[in-house]
Amino acid sequence: MSKEEELLNLSQIIAKCHRCELAKTRNHVVVGEGNINSKIMLVGEGPGYNEDMTGHAFVGKAGQLLDKELASIGLDRKVVYIANIVKCRPPQNRNPLPKEQEACINFLRKQFLIQRPRLIILLGAIAARKMIASDFKITLEHGKIIEKKGVIFVGTFHPSALLRDPAKKKLAWEDLKTIRKIIEDNKLLLFDNQ
Ligand code: URA
């Protein structure tokens, strides 16, 4: 089975999920976006209003900024895969609760197993705490390269945090340059199916 077929099967399962309360208020599940053959995975927190209405990840204001960040280092959505910790929108865009993250995390693990990325970029504290370490401090540890079992993890600011506090953009730019260097050093712009 191709990665695309595996992902489609998984998406059909996620679409019917009722493992937590978020299922009751969602309009769409948001599984992920981009190229599952990429060696680069980005992980956000969870869908917001625009994502819930469309079923696509990072399509609101934060998504537009994310696109600009990717473009600044020569990337776009077609050469990475973007997913979230939770697949359904938390009401009023609150942080997903620990029990909601726990109910959903196996889906991200399955996405990881299908994609097998070499680099995982965590967008914001929620994603970094869930995927790197529960005490991860984004203000202190953003841009740090952490390698576990052959996978490189880098946490950086969530684009929404940059919209709230543009002063952080300078720091985010340093992280983006680190990310670009990892991609070049490890030749990560080649795809598994090439
Ligand atoms: N914020 C996220 O963390 N994920 C999205 O998909 C959109 C906004």
Side-chain angles (χ1 to χ4, degrees):
M1 218 192 291
S2 70
K3 290 187 176 202
E4 286 83 358
E5 286 165 334
E6 282 186 70
L7 186 62
L8 185 63
N9 287 346
L10 178 62
S11 304
Q12 285 163 352
I13 294 167
I14 298 176
K16 292 189 215 126
C17 178
H18 283 86
R19 287 185 196 174
C20 81
E21 295 286 301
L22 299 182
K24 293 187 183 156
T25 49
R26 73 173 175 232
N27 288 294
H28 290 95
V29 297
V30 179
V31 177
E33 200 74 21
N35 192 328
I36 195 70
N37 294 293
S38 173
K39 305 227 187 296
I40 306 161
M41 177 183 241
L42 274 69
V43 180
E45 185 178 310
Y49 173 82
N50 293 288
E51 292 77 20
D52 177 58
M53 295 312 274
T54 60
H56 293 284
F58 280 101
V59 288
K61 283 211 172 90
Q64 286 162 19
L65 179 55
L66 179 62
D67 284 338
K68 280 195 198 161
E69 291 186 79
L70 291 174
S72 75
I73 52 166
L75 301 178
D76 68 44
R77 283 167 187 250
K78 294 192 285 295
V79 300
V80 299
Y81 184 71
I82 308 173
N84 280 305
I85 298 287
V86 297
K87 312 304 191 215
C88 297
R89 181 189 183 209
Q92 278 83 49
N93 296 345
R94 64 159 169 75
N95 290 344
L97 302 173
K99 64 180 176 187
E100 292 160 353
Q101 296 182 37
E102 218 26 57
C104 212
I105 198 69
N106 261 337
F107 292 137
L108 185 61
R109 286 198 186 106
K110 292 205 170 111
Q111 286 170 297
F112 167 82
L113 290 173
I114 296 170
Q115 186 188 355
R116 289 262 167 221
R118 170 89 170 103
L119 169 63
I120 303 185
I121 301 160
L122 289 322
L123 300 170
I126 296 273
R129 289 194 192 129
K130 195 71 189 162
M131 301 284 287
I132 301 176
S134 56
D135 60 352
F136 190 91
K137 291 184 184 59
I138 201 86
T139 43
L140 295 177
E141 295 173 277
H142 68 92
K144 196 169 140 191
I145 300 171
I146 297 145
E147 188 150 2
K148 288 199 269 187
K149 297 185 189 164
V151 181
I152 301 168
F153 295 83
V154 179
T156 187
F157 298 99
H158 192 286
S160 302
L162 302 179
L163 289 171
R164 281 194 301 270
D165 180 6
K168 291 199 174 94
K169 283 188 182 174
K170 239 171 122 177
L171 300 171
W173 171 236
E174 294 305 317
D175 298 347
L176 287 166
K177 285 193 285 186
T178 301
I179 289 164
R180 181 71 220 182
K181 184 154 185 340
I182 296 169
I183 292 170
E184 279 167 8
D185 290 352
N186 294 276
K187 302 189 172 51
L188 300 186
L189 283 176
L190 300 175
F191 295 91
D192 265 0
N193 62 350
Q194 278 179 343

